[in-house]
Amino acid sequence: MIEIKNLSKEFKNIKAVDDISFKVSNGEIVGLLGENGAGKTTTLRMIATMLKPTGGTAAINGFDLVKEPDMVRSQIGILFGGEVGLYDRLTARENIKYFADLNNMDDKEADKNIKELTELLGMEEFIDRRVGKFSRGMKQKVAIARSIVHKPSVMLFDEPTIGLDVTSSVIVQDFILSCKKNNRAIIFSSHSMQEVEKLCDRIVIIHKGKIIEDSTIEDLKEKYSGNLEEVFVRLVGGKDEL
Ligand SMILES: Nc1ncnc2c1ncn2[C@@H]1O[C@H](COP(=O)(O)OP(=O)(O)O)[C@@H](O)[C@H]1O
Ligand SMILES: [Mg+2]
């Protein structure tokens, strides 16, 4: 359960995130949709405790983001797009294990979870090979395993499919849907209406740091008679003219 309350982040003169509030229930995928520079990454980095808010807070399973960042951190799994940042000289297993250690997991539990994830993601053939020469898709699987090895109940995805080929994108999308099945609360950011429509229960549209729409897909479709891509361009484009 994620409750974002009046969250803000100001960088010098820029209000990157400007007083946003929304909730995500367990088993729900909320799509955070916005153009480049809208404030998606800043929002997710604050929820992930990687960046301090300049205003407001969030409650993650009841833990306060500002007052209990360590507790919040233990509830959260993160998969951010772009370079996945694995250690090339370590094996896939060692990379995942290292992350489990950072989350204070005991060895036995970490080993058990890694075994499960290896089967689930089909990593048997390469789990004990160094990741340096892995394909993008293989690295993506290791990054997925790493994001969830501590069994977090909240998952944050920041444009996780950016730059991926179709096969790797589908692996990530299936993973997001499996998180929903396991009753996790999920925020998924994207600038693609199509992808958001495919995965999300609800959409929060963010523009210049502010929420301009928060609605279920069905309600959005009804409100704007169907064509969501057009709606997005219209909402965001319209705001630019103000
Ligand atoms: N560390 C930073 N210092 C200054 N400005 C930043 C920093 N990070 C992001 N911004 C600015 O905040 C705004 C929102 O950025 P970001 O959250 O990355 O947007 P998005 O992920 O939606 O593309 C942009 O105007 C960006 O230039
Ligand atoms: Mg971003």
Side-chain angles (χ1 to χ4, degrees):
M1 172 82 171
I2 308 169
E3 294 172 86
I4 296 168
K5 307 171 193 170
N6 307 105
L7 200 61
S8 298
K9 180 73 188 183
E10 221 169 304
F11 294 112
K12 290 185 187 137
N13 303 324
I14 309 165
K15 282 187 176 166
V17 175
D18 192 0
D19 194 20
I20 65 167
S21 302
F22 63 95
K23 286 183 190 174
V24 187
S25 308
N26 293 339
E28 187 180 34
I29 307 180
V30 169
L32 192 59
L33 188 70
E35 294 188 310
N36 283 333
K40 304 181 296 295
T41 299
T42 306
T43 300
L44 290 172
R45 289 186 69 205
M46 284 194 282
I47 302 169
T49 74
M50 296 153 76
L51 198 62
K52 265 206 174 119
T54 46
T57 188
I60 310 295
N61 295 333
F63 296 110
D64 187 278
L65 180 66
V66 177
K67 294 187 191 127
E68 304 162 284
D70 290 344
M71 285 310 295
V72 167
R73 190 66 198 81
S74 70
Q75 313 289 310
I76 287 181
I78 304 166
L79 189 66
F80 283 9
E83 253 313 303
V84 288
L86 300 168
Y87 294 101
D88 282 353
R89 285 146 79 70
L90 300 183
T91 67
R93 188 190 302 278
E94 287 162 350
N95 266 285
I96 303 166
K97 190 72 185 283
Y98 176 71
F99 194 77
D101 286 345
L102 288 181
N103 276 283
N104 301 315
M105 288 185 76
D106 76 60
D107 276 354
K108 238 179 152 178
E109 199 189 348
D111 290 343
K112 179 171 157 275
N113 290 358
I114 292 171
K115 188 165 179 284
E116 279 174 19
L117 286 165
T118 303
E119 283 166 24
L120 187 78
L121 293 161
M123 300 194 295
E124 293 91 343
E125 270 178 33
F126 55 84
I127 187 73
D128 289 309
R129 277 165 44 194
R130 288 185 186 185
V131 304
K133 293 204 174 79
F134 281 12
S135 70
R136 189 87 192 255
M138 291 155 81
K139 283 186 177 172
Q140 198 64 42
K141 287 186 177 183
V142 180
I144 286 174
R146 183 183 59 175
S147 75
I148 204 164
V149 67
H150 55 307
K151 302 215 163 162
S153 64
V154 166
M155 288 297 296
L156 306 176
F157 296 93
D158 188 24
E159 306 207 41
T161 58
I162 207 157
L164 296 182
D165 60 23
V166 176
T167 315
S168 308
S169 293
V170 169
I171 291 170
V172 172
Q173 290 172 356
D174 287 347
F175 173 61
I176 295 172
L177 291 171
S178 81
C179 289
K180 176 184 162 73
K181 248 188 227 144
N182 289 312
N183 210 32
R184 298 189 153 95
I186 300 153
I187 303 180
F188 163 70
S189 92
S190 177
H191 60 267
S192 156
M193 193 69 186
Q194 218 183 359
E195 196 176 49
V196 161
E197 194 181 347
K198 183 173 165 190
L199 296 174
C200 300
D201 302 295
R202 236 175 70 227
I203 299 183
V204 169
I205 299 180
I206 180 171
H207 185 59
K208 295 188 178 165
K210 280 190 163 48
I211 291 179
I212 57 170
E213 190 69 75
D214 176 353
S215 181
T216 63
I217 305 247
E218 292 92 78
D219 285 353
L220 265 185
K221 276 187 168 164
E222 199 169 326
K223 189 169 165 190
Y224 297 101
S225 32
N227 190 339
L228 293 183
E229 203 128 47
E230 217 170 73
V231 170
F232 177 56
V233 173
R234 215 160 73 210
L235 279 173
V236 168
K239 298 282 169 191
D240 267 341
E241 285 156 23
L242 296 176

